[in-house]
Amino acid sequence: MDRRDFLVAGAAVFTAGYLSGGVRPILAASSKSFAVTHTDSEWRKLLTPAQFNVLRQEGTEFPGSSPLLAEHRKGTFLCAACDQALFSSDTKFESGTGWPSFWKPLDNAVGTTRDASLGMERVEVHCGRCGGHQGHVFNDGPKPTGLRYCMNGVAMTFRPASA
């Protein structure tokens, strides 16, 4: 297979996924109004390519790739796009999934939308301030909530607590 055949095959897979709803290049939360907004061009200047892919195109980082998996200090996890405080380190837990996981977001920090992509029903989590895609929430987490907020580390930053 030469480069041209590879590119044609890739385009066919993308098109099939897009038409079936499996690829969502437009942010699902974009139909809502958020306090922080930018054009795609502005977001591309503000974010790394990996951050743009996850936060604005609802991509997913590779499992186990985030340095935030090993972040165990006291502090706050923030949206990488707008610095909204999303999760306290007190709610972080080791889920074994390969993504930073939390059992509860901070009050009024995130929103959710129905996600039926990839042939399954999920609940997408986005930043309540800018709408940036963070990950998904599942009903298999620890007490007290029983929830697992499975987040993309590239979509967040960490601010350690003041000493």
Side-chain angles (χ1 to χ4, degrees):
M1 177 182 269
D2 65 15
R3 183 173 183 261
R4 182 177 181 275
D5 291 337
F6 178 77
L7 292 173
V8 169
V13 168
F14 176 84
T15 301
Y18 180 76
L19 293 175
S20 69
V23 176
R24 298 177 304 147
I26 299 173
L27 189 64
S30 65
S31 62
K32 299 178 182 175
S33 172
F34 295 99
V36 174
T37 60
H38 296 288
T39 65
D40 276 354
S41 177
E42 291 168 334
W43 281 122
R44 286 183 191 279
K45 290 177 186 173
L46 294 168
L47 303 169
T48 68
Q51 288 172 327
F52 184 83
N53 178 3
V54 170
L55 288 158
R56 306 316 305 170
Q57 296 180 310
E58 298 182 359
T60 300
E61 69 187 355
F62 288 107
S65 65
S66 174
L68 293 183
L69 272 173
E71 183 56 71
H72 300 292
R73 295 176 290 172
K74 292 286 186 192
T76 306
F77 293 84
L78 313 169
C79 175
C82 72
D83 291 330
Q84 162 91 342
L86 301 174
F87 296 93
S88 165
S89 61
D90 293 336
T91 65
K92 187 173 188 271
F93 70 98
E94 298 302 323
S95 66
T97 62
W99 289 278
S101 297
F102 305 84
W103 51 264
K104 178 186 172 194
L106 295 171
D107 290 342
N108 303 310
V110 302
T112 59
T113 54
R114 179 182 168 273
D115 177 359
S117 67
L118 304 178
M120 65 182 99
E121 182 74 25
R122 300 183 295 172
V123 177
E124 184 255 346
V125 177
H126 58 267
C127 173
R129 186 168 176 229
C130 71
H133 173 75
Q134 295 293 323
H136 293 86
V137 61
F138 302 94
N139 292 320
D140 61 0
K143 292 181 180 181
T145 65
L147 299 174
R148 173 175 52 97
Y149 286 82
C150 189
M151 302 293 98
N152 289 284
V154 72
M156 297 185 296
T157 59
F158 179 73
R159 182 176 56 216
S162 301

